[in-house]
Amino acid sequence: MKKSRKQRNIVKFRLVVFASLAGLLILFSLFSDKLCPMDPYLQDLSNAKAAPSFVHPLGTDRYGRDMLSRIIVGSKTSIFSTLLLVTFISVFGSMIGLICGWFENTIDVILMRIADMFLAFPGLVFALAVAAVLGGGLQNAIIALAAISWPKYARLARSQTLTQKKATYIKAARLAGDSDWKLIVRHILPNIMGPILVTAVLDIGTMMMELAGLSFLGLGAKPPIAEWGSMMSETRNLLTTQPWVTLSPGIAIFISVVIFNLFGEAVRDWLDPKNGRS
Amino acid sequence: MRTLLRVEHLTKDFSTHGGETYRAVDDVSFSLGFHEKMAVIGESGSGKTTLARMITRLTEATSGQIFLEEENITRAKGHNLRNIYQKMQMVFQMPVDSFDSRRRLGDGIAESLINRGMKKAEAWEEAERLLGECGLGKEFLTRYPHEVSGGQCQRAAIARALAIQPKLLILDEATSALDMTVQKEILGLLDSLQEDRDMSYLFICHDLALVQAFCDRMIVMQKGKIVEEGTTDQVIRHPKHAYTKMLMDSVL
Amino acid sequence: MAELLRYDHINIRYGQSLVIEDVDFNLASGEILGIVGESGSGKSTLLKAGMGLLGKEGQLCRGKILYDGKDLGQCSEREMQKIRGRELGMVFQMAGSSFCPIRTLGVQMQEAVRAHKRISKAEFMDEALDLLNKFGFDKPDRILESYPFELSGGMQQRVGIVAAMLLHPRVLLADEPTSALDVSVQKQVVEQFLMIREKFGTSILLVSHNIGVIRAMADEILVLHQGKTVDYGKKDDILAQPTSEYTEKLLEAVPRFRR
C-alpha cells in the first residue's frame, strides 16, 4: 500500500531539513579556518586551563589554546576525513561488488574470499597492526578503516547486481543491442545505487565515531592537529577538574553523528519504494 | 521453402545442486519459414521458454545448431550477436518487468536505434511513430512503465521490438498476463503488423484455443522433447501423441 | 433453495475511491456462482469483504453481507474468526504459498482444524486420510508427511482445497483457484470442486478471469466491470445471450477451442 500524500510530504520535509543541516555542517567545516575567532594552535601558557569566559567561551586547554577555535577547526579534520573515507569505501567496494556480481567467475570467487578475509579482522586489532607497520597518523587510520569497511559495500553491490542481472529488462536491453559495458552503466548501476547510497550516508556517523575512537587511542590524528577524538584524549585527565574541555569535543562528535544519522534515515525513507516514488 | 529460422538437435542441460544434470531441452529440431506464425505449446517444465532463450542467445545451448537466414548463430558473440538482434527480437510475458523502471518508455524504445548509431532526436521521432503504429499516443514516450496499464506496456514492448525492423519476433507468453479483451487487441495488432511488415512469429504459449485462433503451425513440447508437429488444423483434428490428446481434453 | 450467502446492494470504498458499487447477489446452498471480471474489476475485493479481510483502508460503506441471515458487517473480530474457515472456507490462487514451508502439511492441517474444534490426533488422521481418499489422492499418508515444496504446484493446490474442506464449511470462497496452474491440472482442480459440491453440497463462490473455468463450473454467472454488475443470471443465458455490451466483448475476446 502506498503512503498517503501527507506521509510523503513528511518524508520529503525531513529529507530537506536534515540535508540542509548536514550541508550546513559541511559548509561550516569547509570555512572553519575563517570562522574561528582565535588561532587554534597559539599557545598561551599563562592562560592555561582557563574556565569559560567571554574571551574563551569554552575555556582553554593545558597549553592555553582556545577550545572553541580548536573545535571549529577540528570539524574540518573530523568531517572531511570521514567523508573521504566513506566516499572511497563505497565507490571502491561497489565497483568490486559490481564486477563480481556481473561476471560471476573465478575473479568473483577470489575477490569475495579476499573481502571475507578483511571482514574477519576486528577493526581495532587491524588498526593497531596498521599503526605498527605504517606508524600512527590520521592517514593510516583512514587506510585501516577503509581496508576493513569496503567488503560491506562489495557484498551489497554484488547481491544487488545478481538480482538485477536476472531481471527481464536486462534481457530486453541486451536484445536492443546493448554491450555489457552499456548494460552496466545504463541499467545496472542506476538500479543498484539506491541501497548503496543509503548505506553510505548511514555509514558517515559510524565512521566518524570509529575515526574519533582511533584518534582517541592515539592511532589517528596526532597532536597538535585539532581533531575531536584526539582532543578528547589529550584532555581526558582534566575531566574531573575542567570537564568542559573534555566534553565539548565529545558533544561536537555527538551532534555531527546525530545529524548525519538522521540525514541517512531521511534518505532511506525517501528512497523507499513504498514511498510512492518510482 | 526458404527458411528464416532453423534449429537442429538443440539441447540444453542444467546442472542441479546435487551435481546431476537436468535436460531442459532435448534434441529439438524444427524450422520456421518466412511469413509464418508458428506456436510452441507446452505446459510448465516443457522447456519452451529455455528453447526461446537459446534461440535468442540469452542462454548458451549445450549442443545443437541455430541458423537464422542460413547463418549459424549458435556461438555468435559481441558485435556479431548485436547485428543478429537486428533480425530477431523478443517480447516477454511481463511487459512492466521488461522495461527499466528508472527509465521512460521512450528511452527503452529508442535504445536499439541509438545503439545502431541514430541521433537521439531522430530516434525519439521514430519511437513516436512506432508507438503510433502500435496504437499509442506520443504522450506514452515520457511515461514510466509502472504508470501505464499492462496492455499499454505490452504495446510499447512490441514497439520496442519492432524498432530495428526484425524479421522474426519471438513472443514468450506475450499475452498470458493480460486481460482477455486486451489479449485480443494485442493479437489483432500482431496480425496487422505481420501483414504490413512481412514478419514471422514464434509464438510460445500454453493456451491451445489461442494457438488455434492465431497460428499456422505448431509444435507440442513435453519434458524438453517435441512430441508432435504440424499445421494447427492437422494437429488439433488428428492428434497422434497421447500427450497432445490429453492437452486437448483438458481445454475447458 | 435456501439462501445461504447474500450480498445486499453493497458499496466498498478503498480510501477515496469507490471500488464496488451496488453489487447485489445471493448464493443458495449447493450453488456455484462464478464472478467473472478483468483486472481492476473488484472481483477479489468482493471475496475479501465476505471474509471480513478488507483491511484498514477498505470499508463496506453501503449494504450488508448476510451469511445464513447473520449480518457479517456487525460481527466482532472474534465472531468472524469462528466463521472464517469453519463456515466460510477460503481457497487462494496459490494455496501452496499459504502453507508454512518448514512444517509438514499434516501438522499444519491438524493445527488449522484444532483452532476450531477439539479433536484427537487419531481422529484428525482418520478424517484427513478419508477426505484425501475421497478426492482420489494416490498415497494420502505420504501427502500428510510431506513438506509443501515436495509437491508440485498443482498438487499443492489440490491439497489446499482439501485442507479448506476439513472443517466442512458450508461455503467455499475461491479466488482464481486455477490461474497459476497448467491446463491439465486446471481440469483436475475444476473436477475436484465439482466433486465437493456433489459430495458435501457445499456452495462455491468462484472468482476468475477465465471464462472456460467459469463455464465448466458455475450455475450462475455475475459479470463485474469496474466495480459494477453488468450481467447476472443463469450461466447458459448469459453465455448465449449477454445483455450488456461489455459481456459480449469479453466473450468475443475469448477464443473458443474447436475440434
Side-chain angles (χ1 to χ4, degrees), chain A residues 101-123:
Chain A
W102 183 258
F103 291 106
E104 251 189 305
N105 52 13
T106 335
I107 299 176
D108 170 34
V109 177
I110 296 170
L111 286 175
M112 286 326 281
R113 288 302 82 77
I114 294 176
D116 289 344
M117 222 166 70
F118 278 109
L119 265 185
F121 278 111

Side-chain angles (χ1 to χ4, degrees), chain C:
Chain C
M1 270 198 286
E3 177 182 297
L4 196 54
L5 186 65
R6 174 168 185 83
Y7 281 51
D8 185 8
H9 295 281
I10 63 162
N11 283 6
I12 296 172
R13 197 179 275 289
Y14 258 105
Q16 291 299 312
S17 52
L18 198 59
V19 290
I20 293 290
E21 200 177 336
D22 198 27
V23 170
D24 181 85
F25 62 83
N26 68 67
L27 183 68
S29 81
E31 189 183 36
I32 301 181
L33 171 65
I35 299 180
V36 199
E38 298 189 296
S39 50
S41 62
K43 54 191 194 304
S44 298
T45 308
L46 279 180
L47 284 197
K48 281 188 201 146
M51 297 293 280
L53 296 172
L54 279 178
K56 242 193 245 166
E57 300 262 308
Q59 190 199 356
L60 180 65
C61 54
R62 211 194 84 183
K64 285 176 192 165
I65 300 176
L66 301 161
Y67 167 72
D68 212 6
K70 191 190 239 174
D71 185 351
L72 293 181
Q74 300 297 318
C75 285
S76 66
E77 181 53 31
R78 267 190 78 149
E79 283 173 287
M80 273 316 284
Q81 272 173 8
K82 273 189 197 152
I83 291 172
R84 256 182 243 142
R86 182 152 208 177
E87 305 286 334
L88 303 174
M90 185 89 189
V91 176
F92 300 94
Q93 182 169 353
M94 306 245 244
S97 54
S98 64
F99 287 117
C100 164
I102 55 162
R103 289 183 306 153
T104 63
L105 291 167
V107 169
Q108 294 184 55
M109 282 156 78
Q110 189 181 338
E111 238 168 49
V113 173
R114 279 191 170 171
H116 287 277
K117 58 179 181 186
R118 295 172 66 88
I119 184 171
S120 74
K121 195 180 171 197
E123 279 172 306
F124 164 78
M125 286 302 278
D126 282 350
E127 213 165 300
L129 290 175
D130 179 48
L131 205 54
L132 286 165
N133 266 322
K134 270 191 189 139
F135 286 116
F137 283 86
D138 266 350
K139 290 176 183 146
D141 43 341
R142 282 276 293 280
I143 287 173
L144 292 182
E145 283 163 19
S146 30
Y147 293 91
F149 66 86
E150 293 176 312
L151 304 181
S152 69
M155 197 59 127
Q156 287 180 15
Q157 191 71 357
R158 292 174 58 205
V159 174
I161 296 168
V162 172
M165 285 310 294
L166 273 169
L167 287 159
H168 298 288
R170 290 168 72 192
V171 180
L172 263 190
L173 306 179
D175 189 3
E176 299 275 7
T178 64
S179 304
L181 307 175
D182 276 330
V183 277
S184 52
V185 189
Q186 180 169 299
K187 191 168 189 201
Q188 292 174 1
V189 169
V190 166
E191 279 161 3
Q192 192 182 1
F193 273 118
L194 290 173
M195 197 195 238
I196 286 174
R197 192 251 299 262
E198 194 183 310
K199 285 213 161 93
F200 304 101
T202 314
S203 311
I204 301 173
L205 190 57
L206 168 75
V207 159
S208 181
H209 71 279
N210 187 330
I211 307 243
V213 171
I214 300 270
R215 184 186 324 213
M217 276 176 67
D219 306 315
E220 298 212 329
I221 296 186
L222 186 149
V223 183
L224 202 62
H225 181 52
Q226 296 178 343
K228 294 193 189 104
T229 308
V230 293
D231 256 306
Y232 176 39
K234 291 258 168 289
K235 169 177 74 178
D236 295 333
D237 297 346
I238 303 273
L239 291 179
Q241 275 173 330
T243 58
S244 77
E245 220 172 281
Y246 175 75
T247 312
E248 217 167 296
K249 195 176 135 201
L250 187 66
L251 290 175
E252 209 176 280
V254 182
R256 195 74 211 267
F257 189 56
R258 304 173 310 270
R259 308 178 63 164

Side-chain angles (χ1 to χ4, degrees), chain A:
Chain A
M1 189 60 55
K2 281 183 176 175
K3 286 185 192 168
S4 68
R5 180 173 294 270
K6 196 178 157 198
Q7 282 168 310
R8 277 207 299 276
N9 280 340
I10 293 174
V11 167
K12 214 169 192 174
F13 176 73
R14 275 181 48 213
L15 181 76
V16 171
V17 168
F18 292 120
S20 339
L21 275 179
L24 267 179
L25 198 60
I26 292 169
L27 265 182
F28 175 79
S29 58
L30 199 62
F31 294 108
S32 52
D33 300 346
K34 314 263 184 313
L35 290 171
C36 59
M38 303 176 86
D39 180 353
Y41 296 105
L42 181 73
Q43 300 192 2
D44 178 6
L45 291 174
S46 64
N47 209 0
K49 298 186 201 174
S53 63
F54 192 69
V55 191
H56 303 289
L58 294 175
T60 61
D61 65 4
R62 64 191 153 125
Y63 301 109
R65 295 176 296 196
D66 178 42
M67 277 312 284
L68 180 67
S69 300
R70 280 183 70 74
I71 284 172
I72 291 173
V73 168
S75 69
K76 196 171 194 169
T77 331
S78 294
I79 291 173
F80 270 86
S81 46
T82 309
L83 288 181
L84 179 80
L85 172 63
V86 172
T87 310
F88 175 74
I89 56 174
S90 57
V91 171
F92 177 76
S94 307
M95 283 302 135
I96 299 281
L98 183 61
I99 291 167
C100 288
W102 183 258
F103 291 106
E104 251 189 305
N105 52 13
T106 335
I107 299 176
D108 170 34
V109 177
I110 296 170
L111 286 175
M112 286 326 281
R113 288 302 82 77
I114 294 176
D116 289 344
M117 222 166 70
F118 278 109
L119 265 185
F121 278 111
L124 204 56
V125 176
F126 193 79
L128 283 167
V130 169
V133 177
L134 302 174
L138 190 58
Q139 196 187 336
N140 293 341
I142 292 176
I143 290 173
L145 280 178
I148 54 165
S149 310
W150 68 269
K152 179 164 74 177
Y153 291 88
R155 288 195 157 181
L156 180 63
R158 182 175 179 273
S159 71
Q160 291 282 328
T161 306
L162 285 176
T163 317
Q164 296 295 334
K165 195 171 77 166
K166 293 193 193 88
T168 312
Y169 75 90
I170 292 294
K171 295 190 174 79
R174 210 185 264 287
L175 280 158
D178 279 12
S179 58
D180 274 33
W181 172 246
K182 268 188 193 156
L183 285 175
I184 291 176
V185 173
R186 264 198 219 158
H187 298 288
I188 299 278
L189 209 53
N191 277 290
I192 66 169
M193 281 273 265
I196 292 172
L197 186 70
V198 171
T199 313
V201 178
L202 281 170
D203 231 9
I204 297 177
T206 321
M207 287 299 154
M208 192 177 277
M209 296 273 274
E210 300 219 346
L211 213 53
L214 286 180
S215 294
F216 182 84
L217 293 175
L219 298 170
K222 285 266 179 293
I225 295 174
E227 197 275 348
W228 295 339
S230 62
M231 279 159 71
M232 284 185 80
S233 170
E234 275 172 55
T235 58
R236 66 182 184 277
N237 48 0
L238 303 178
L239 187 59
T240 43
T241 46
Q242 282 104 5
W244 55 86
V245 180
T246 319
L247 289 182
S248 43
I251 290 167
I253 294 174
F254 173 74
I255 291 172
S256 315
V257 168
V258 166
I259 286 177
F260 280 114
N261 277 347
L262 288 173
F263 174 49
E265 274 169 32
V267 171
R268 186 191 58 202
D269 291 346
W270 181 61
L271 282 176
D272 186 352
K274 283 192 228 100
N275 190 24
R277 266 182 81 266
S278 62

